Amino acid sequence: MIIKAIAIDDESPALELLRKFVENVPFVHLEKTFTDPKEGLKYVFDHQPDLIFLDINMPALSGLEVAKIIQPLGKSFIFTTAHSDFAIQSYELQALDYLLKPFSFERFLTALNRAFQEIVRKKGEETSVFIKDSYDWVRVNLNEINFIKSDGNLLFIHTKTKTLSTRMTIPEILAILPKESMMRIHKSYVINLREVEKLEKHQVTIDHQTIPVANSHRESLENRLLKKS
């Protein structure tokens, strides 16, 4: 699935940076960019893109106002702004993310993976994400993940068929994983609850591999596995 996106920002350099970032993401196509929010709004209603990147401080019509107008359409949008003052309003409007300029490509990719999950959920399609494994982009079905291990600056994603490495943090990967099946059980490990074969006092077994369980996560892990909560 390719996400159809547009960007609305009254600053051309910001739009150019977005365009360069999107060029490195295989599952997003930036259809058009707009410096005039009214023109961007018309395009949204005429062409129904999946995702809108929105600046907030713009003349004539703010990004918050644009979001309120398109909200009945059920469109996904991400705010991109240099101002931190509007974070609360953005979440009240159900923005998928709030990117504070200047943001890195890694932070941008985290937001896009979150958007991908939300959009495929709305469309009822298979849940997967693209992970950068060394120099290649690889689509990973989230249901195929057994567990994830953090080691220094890398995450090692162990699936049913292969192991991928990527430069992400555990909080970043947790933001795009399905919460009903994935759980952090240790500072260095996230597991797929559906793949647990055995639960012991200080460890679990998945695919014949033992994974440590931190004391602080033991009770909540047991509750979730035994469906007590």
Side-chain angles (χ1 to χ4, degrees):
M1 174 186 170
I2 302 297
I3 294 174
K4 297 182 295 182
I6 68 165
I8 304 173
D9 195 314
D10 63 323
E11 296 182 356
S12 296
L15 291 174
E16 184 58 31
L17 180 62
L18 268 177
R19 189 179 292 109
K20 288 180 179 178
F21 277 3
V22 169
E23 286 174 356
N24 292 313
V25 182
F27 57 89
V28 179
H29 172 59
L30 188 62
E31 295 188 325
K32 284 187 77 69
T33 61
F34 300 90
T35 54
D36 184 339
K38 292 181 179 178
E39 290 181 5
L41 260 179
K42 184 177 186 306
Y43 188 92
V44 170
F45 280 89
D46 289 345
H47 298 276
Q48 299 290 316
D50 301 311
L51 177 65
I52 301 101
F53 296 102
L54 271 175
D55 186 23
I56 290 183
N57 276 356
M58 295 184 288
L61 206 59
S62 75
L64 295 173
E65 291 169 326
V66 172
K68 289 177 183 177
I69 294 170
I70 65 175
Q71 204 171 27
L73 298 177
K75 294 298 175 186
S76 299
F77 56 93
I78 294 172
F79 284 117
T80 59
T81 178
H83 303 276
S84 60
D85 313 20
F86 305 104
I88 293 176
Q89 294 99 309
S90 77
Y91 290 111
E92 288 174 348
L93 289 168
Q94 298 180 317
L96 287 181
D97 214 326
Y98 191 90
L99 297 179
L100 196 59
K101 300 174 184 175
F103 47 84
S104 66
F105 176 72
E106 288 74 19
R107 179 67 182 87
F108 179 72
L109 184 59
T110 298
L112 283 187
N113 270 323
R114 182 179 293 131
F116 186 90
Q117 293 308 304
E118 176 65 15
I119 291 165
V120 296
R121 184 190 65 78
K122 287 178 180 178
K123 295 189 175 186
E125 298 186 16
E126 182 181 25
T127 302
S128 60
V129 292
F130 277 92
I131 298 292
K132 193 165 189 180
D133 180 30
S134 298
Y135 298 101
D136 301 321
W137 288 93
V138 181
R139 185 191 291 274
V140 179
N141 184 336
L142 297 180
N143 294 323
E144 293 291 310
I145 295 174
N146 284 335
F147 66 92
I148 299 166
K149 180 182 179 181
S150 172
D151 188 356
N153 295 324
L154 290 174
L155 288 184
F156 292 91
I157 303 172
H158 297 259
T159 75
K160 297 182 188 304
T161 58
K162 57 194 170 189
T163 300
L164 308 173
S165 62
T166 187
R167 291 192 179 278
M168 294 179 72
T169 65
I170 283 187
E172 286 172 339
I173 196 79
L174 282 173
I176 63 173
L177 293 175
K179 294 178 176 57
E180 66 275 9
S181 59
M182 307 299 292
M183 179 180 177
R184 188 175 193 171
I185 62 167
H186 185 276
K187 66 179 182 180
S188 300
Y189 287 92
V190 173
I191 65 168
N192 186 341
L193 296 170
R194 295 169 180 164
E195 300 301 322
V196 174
E197 299 163 354
K198 186 178 182 181
L199 170 63
E200 299 175 79
K201 187 173 182 180
H202 297 297
Q203 64 187 32
V204 294
T205 302
I206 295 179
D207 193 26
H208 308 295
Q209 298 188 61
T210 56
I211 300 165
V213 178
N215 289 334
S216 57
H217 293 288
R218 165 71 197 196
E219 184 177 353
S220 57
L221 172 61
E222 183 177 324
N223 286 339
R224 291 189 65 179
L225 285 174
L226 301 178
K227 302 187 185 301
K228 292 181 180 178
S229 61

